[in-house]
Amino acid sequence: MTVTATSVGESAPMPPQPAPTARRGRLVRILPAVAAALAGLLLYVSFPPRTLWWLALPAFAVFGWVLRGRSWKAGLGLGYLFGLGFLLPLLVWTGVEVGPGPWIALVVIEAVFVALVGAGVTAVSKLPGWPVWAAALWIAGEAARARVPFSGFPWGKIAFGQADGVFLPLAALGGTPVLGFAVVLCGFGLLEIVRLALKARRTAAVRWVAAAVGVLSVVVPLVAAFAARTLVGDKAETGTVTVAVIQGNVPRLGLDFNSQRRAVLDHHARETERLAAEVAAGRAERPDIVLWPENSSDIDPFVNGDARAVIDRAAKAIGAPVSVGGVVTRDGKLLNEQILWDPLKGPVDTYDKRQIQPFGEYLPLRSLVGAINEEWTSMVRQDFSRGGQPGVFRMAGAGVGLVTCYEAAFDWAVRDTVTAGAQLISVPSNNATFGRSEMTYQQLAMSRVRAVEHSRAVTVPVTSGVSAIIMPDGKITQRTGMFVADSLVQEVPLRSSQTPATRLGVLPEIALVLVAVGGLGWAAGSGVRGRRAGDV
């Protein structure tokens, strides 16, 4: 055997280098995944407390681009990445006091719905007019998320990010489903316009038809939004009422905000009495009604005589009926209750919260959760019971609808309060357990959307802020800071007419779900396949 040595000065052979085309191929393969996650993050940035509502449009344009024409399996994965990019930062407040476990578990589950939407969009993306089918699929995903599991979790509906946007009047036309559909349709329409502007392989006739679909997907929602502005008004129809929103603040942040007996109640009574002194001195307008937040009485006034005396004294001082939030036990049931407290008669009516929060007010799968972490079960020692009827208090002749905190996220819980006779809406809340997170601002935006949806003034009394008064056109006229004691007093209009959204109820959502099902059926029947490599 002959061995040939490498001559002096001769370099050893270099290992083979990957061709530039191979590197580009790998980048092309990972680009959709990165783009999907970043598009989800962009959608999150469009939500409050930021006022960048318009970023939802490019977010859905990019989402449509990464999905269009791919296989359903690819759509499932890309949709999941989009959902994680959106929901992980949006819902980070859910782990403020309990750690990252529940937050991540919630997002992992909720992102599954977005993944299924992604798979559906890939199926309809080659159909004529695909932006319409795809936008309807998104709303169908929101509809499912609002109902399952554990009675649903609608937080993160696209409509709730549009309180400052031009599309907001559409809430009065068809509620959150129509508002959300318009935004998503517009985003997919933008993609279609850009895609066709960059693509020249099609015949002229096909290009013009597809371009028309893209343009209409943008123009029609915008025109409809401007036309719907006629449905939005803040004029009084059945008189006015002067409301006082009380924010008493809490002694400390976190889950143990009410660990000091009667402290929260004393704070709210003290702020009410301070306002009464301002009224007596002529420095504040006298309110007709007074609204306290959820959990503003940290002990049961039906059981504890000292709590009853404190509320009585505050109501007499202000000389007006007070809606008090309390946690009460009745017939062995634990209830999150609003109590109508008359300054002369005491408690005369109650409303029990109907949509209670899983893992916050009751614990599903208690034995399983306890096996994972016993501390979580100790946080919810006894499950709250649900109320059965919508709450409308008659206060100074006005019908005041009660939508307690978490209920504001659910379309049905707000609507049936209005149909039961609410002339204005109060959303008493307690956000003290979420600190200074974005949760408060996200929930405030929901109340603004509800004001337009049902053309009602909305008051938001919160234990620790941000409390606010919102006109029927969605504009905030007064608001407090966070973790301060304060009160807001203002004359607001009473309204009794019903918007198309109120009258139609769930019908627009059903119609959009049927459109989504029809698109999937058409795609399945026509045997639509994934796009070829290089198809943009």
Side-chain angles (χ1 to χ4, degrees), residues 137-504:
L137 275 166
W138 181 272
I139 301 305
E142 287 190 344
R145 228 170 32 93
R147 290 166 173 82
V148 293
F150 313 126
S151 299
F153 187 75
W155 219 277
K157 273 191 170 187
I158 298 305
F160 297 150
Q162 296 296 309
D164 291 292
V166 299
F167 297 99
L168 180 60
L170 288 171
L173 183 63
T176 60
V178 168
L179 172 53
F181 174 76
V183 174
V184 180
L185 176 61
C186 202
F188 287 148
L190 283 176
L191 166 65
E192 192 69 352
I193 292 172
V194 172
R195 189 182 69 83
L196 291 169
L198 297 175
K199 188 176 177 66
R201 290 208 302 265
R202 295 176 181 269
T203 64
V206 173
R207 277 203 310 273
W208 278 110
V209 171
V213 170
V215 170
L216 289 175
S217 296
V218 175
V219 172
V220 171
L222 287 170
V223 170
F226 280 100
R229 294 174 67 181
T230 59
L231 301 173
V232 179
D234 60 0
K235 303 298 183 185
E237 295 176 334
T238 52
T240 63
V241 66
T242 300
V243 300
V245 171
I246 302 298
Q247 178 176 305
N249 203 11
V250 296
R252 58 180 62 82
L253 281 68
L255 290 173
D256 63 344
F257 73 94
N258 63 349
S259 60
Q260 183 180 341
R261 186 185 188 277
R262 225 186 70 182
V264 178
L265 172 57
D266 285 344
H267 281 212
H268 286 82
R270 187 181 305 124
E271 180 59 28
T272 303
E273 290 166 0
R274 186 199 66 79
L275 175 61
E278 292 288 299
V279 171
R283 292 188 293 268
E285 189 176 359
R286 181 175 296 278
D288 300 311
I289 63 176
V290 179
L291 303 169
W292 285 13
E294 176 188 32
N295 303 152
S296 46
S297 179
D298 49 2
I299 54 177
D300 187 344
F302 295 107
V303 175
N304 296 275
D306 58 335
R308 185 184 184 106
V310 168
I311 299 170
D312 249 343
R313 186 173 65 246
K316 285 180 169 62
I318 198 67
V322 183
S323 178
V324 178
V327 175
V328 306
T329 301
R330 184 178 296 113
D331 300 326
K333 296 179 179 179
L334 188 63
L335 301 167
N336 186 336
E337 191 165 82
Q338 286 291 310
I339 308 163
L340 176 55
W341 208 284
D342 185 89
L344 299 177
K345 302 176 183 177
V348 294
D349 200 359
T350 60
Y351 166 65
D352 300 322
K353 187 176 182 180
R354 295 171 293 159
Q355 186 66 46
I356 56 178
Q357 183 182 351
F359 303 99
E361 293 173 307
Y362 77 101
L363 196 60
L365 310 175
R366 182 176 288 272
S367 59
L368 176 61
V369 172
I372 298 171
N373 190 325
E374 289 185 5
E375 290 184 6
W376 294 347
T377 60
S378 65
M379 293 177 187
V380 188
R381 293 186 178 88
Q382 180 181 350
D383 292 342
F384 279 81
S385 296
R386 301 174 184 270
Q389 298 295 325
V392 180
F393 286 168
R394 298 304 301 181
M395 303 178 71
V400 180
L402 284 307
V403 179
T404 305
C405 196
Y406 184 59
E407 292 181 323
F410 292 83
D411 294 347
W412 66 267
V414 185
R415 177 182 178 267
D416 67 5
T417 302
V418 175
T419 57
Q423 296 167 297
L424 69 93
I425 299 170
S426 181
V427 185
S429 303
N430 173 27
N431 299 338
T433 55
F434 302 110
R436 298 182 183 275
S437 70
E438 293 183 356
M439 179 271 186
T440 288
Y441 302 99
Q442 293 170 9
Q443 190 179 54
L444 183 59
M446 291 179 193
S447 295
R448 294 178 63 190
V449 172
R450 298 307 185 191
V452 174
E453 182 179 15
H454 300 291
S455 193
R456 296 291 188 273
V458 176
T459 62
V460 186
V462 185
T463 50
S464 55
V466 172
S467 300
I469 295 176
I470 306 167
M471 290 293 101
D473 60 1
K475 290 184 175 61
I476 297 175
T477 53
Q478 291 191 60
R479 62 190 296 174
T480 68
M482 292 186 74
F483 294 99
V484 294
D486 203 353
S487 55
L488 308 173
V489 181
Q490 184 175 320
E491 183 181 21
V492 299
L494 299 176
R495 295 177 62 86
S496 56
S497 63
Q498 294 186 359
T499 64
T502 307
R503 292 193 296 269
L504 292 171

Side-chain angles (χ1 to χ4, degrees), residues 56-77:
L57 305 185
F60 277 102
V62 175
F63 188 43
W65 171 72
V66 300
L67 292 177
R68 188 178 180 278
R70 296 188 183 274
S71 70
W72 70 267
K73 292 181 181 179
L76 201 66

